Amino acid sequence: MEATNKLLEYGNIIGGTELFEGDKIPIYNKYTNEQIGAVYKADQNVVKNAVTNAVDTFKKIKLSPADRSEILLKTAKLLEMNREVLVHTLVQEVGRTVTDCNTEVDRAINTFTISSEEAKRISGHGVPIEGQKGHENRLSFTVRTPVGVVGAITPFNMPLNLSAHKVGPAVAAGNTVILKPSEVAPITVLKLVKLMKEAGLPDGYLNVVNGFGNETGQYLIEDDRVNMFTFTGSARVGRHIKNSTGIKKVSLELGNNSPTIIHKDAAQIGDIAKLAAQRGFVTANGQACIAVQRLYVHRDIYDEFLSEFVQAAKDLKVGNPADPQTDIGVMISEKEAVRVEKWVEEAVANGAKLECGGKREGTAYYPTVLTNVNADMKVVCEEVFGPVVSVIPYESIDEALQKANDSDYGLQAGIFTTDFNFAMRAVRELDFGGVIINDVSTFRTDAMPYGGIKNSGLGKEGPKYTIEEMTNEKVVVMNL
Ligand code: NAD
């Protein structure tokens, strides 16, 4: 793979050919603000051609499950071989630290490895209709067939692994794909696409269109030939995609204002405080859909927890993401950092107490702990998507569950307790797609079913579950 220090241009990829035509979008290093490359913007014609290619390829080139599995495993190996370049590119274009970006590459390798395994296990199930009176002579089962052409749209924050979660299962299921990466961080994804070609993926299986959401993305979602859309991003855009795409499969992985409950019987408060600080401030600089945002802490341990948590936040070093000593890099843009700064200022003006942070330097926002917040403040009821955490006391289990559920979102929640009954009550009563016991809301391993309810989305990711979303289940009935 090419060196990453020179200014590189990336085209749209249609039928395996990279096309360098049209207007360019500059891509910047989010810490130095230097331009590191440019992508060619896909206009409506380019998007149309990409879809035509994906439709034709789906009809003409069929890969066996074993072939798909091999290509995906080879992709995982190539990701490992190109780790250094991928990490370097991620650090530059997303502004996250070297450690954080290495973790993302590890996870993408895992996602492709799991997709490779799952490619060999796609199956339907038996349907015992012979049990129905009058149908004794029938035998029934289901088979899963690929949906056809998948339109995949991905966000900026973890561009490699979140694209892997769409492309890996789509190929495993035998679909062709048109991928539109984020316009602010597309380069790592374009490198992945080239590695998949090197791994043996036939031309046309994975086409890429670059550009802004309201142009390139919009052209893609308006193309009726796409059989399914899979989107990761904000609830605002997710709702728009759902409303615009009519009667077809759509899966949406959207935001969250993730709660974690820390009960009075939780063991090792200091360790929990450090972990919560890591997952609220360090992972993706707080720009993760399941980043710790609301901490509900039992009144009996509130003071002890708060003091440990604030100290853990203050101990984190903010700075150049390329420096291995840095814990927290920068946010994706100054505009986003200013938005977070304004939300914090607004909360403080309305009575919140700033325990630490609240400081911005360009695109860097310092880890910020707020107390004395109320449920109507944006930092509590909306998705902050930055390194800001509110710590809120509670007296009773009922109150903790009610406050954690007081959200338009429902992706994942965490709970620390050694009380088995409370933990199981939380599992039943928390309105979230995932409940994580004795860990924060941020836990995710790539094989598990992952996806939200309410405004957090529709459908599940995790290769096994995405393959279910990306296949049609057909019933077969034999009259014997
Ligand atoms: P975003 O919604 O602004 O953009 C996501 C993608 O959608 C980009 O590629 C963008 O160009 C495209 N897009 C925008 N408008 C479009 C349109 N009209 N038609 C088609 N495509 C369009 O999100 P972002 O700022 O890149 O990412 C942050 C959001 O992503 C947060 O809300 C976060 O919670 C969410 N997210 C969710 C998960 C998850 O798995 N649930 C993971 C990571 C991020």
Side-chain angles (χ1 to χ4, degrees), residues 383-406:
E383 180 184 39
V384 174
F385 223 59
V388 177
V389 177
S390 293
V391 188
I392 302 157
Y394 69 86
E395 309 278 349
S396 69
I397 286 177
D398 284 347
E399 186 189 356
L401 295 173
Q402 180 271 319
K403 284 182 163 165
N405 276 338
D406 184 13

Side-chain angles (χ1 to χ4, degrees), residues 153-157 162 180-183 212-214 217-218 221 231-234 237 240 253-255 289 383 385 411 450:
I153 302 176
T154 52
F156 75 82
N157 61 327
L162 295 175
K180 196 211 85 60
S182 164
E183 61 274 26
F212 300 106
N214 59 358
Q218 187 65 31
I221 63 173
F231 171 76
T232 301
S234 62
V237 177
H240 171 70
E253 296 290 332
L254 313 176
C289 47
E383 180 184 39
F385 223 59
L411 186 49
Y450 181 76

Side-chain angles (χ1 to χ4, degrees), residues 427-453:
V427 168
R428 283 193 300 270
E429 294 184 24
L430 286 172
D431 293 330
F432 291 81
V435 175
I436 313 294
I437 298 167
N438 287 328
D439 205 334
V440 289
S441 58
T442 324
F443 178 82
R444 181 180 184 186
T445 182
D446 294 285
M448 74 190 222
Y450 181 76
I453 58 173

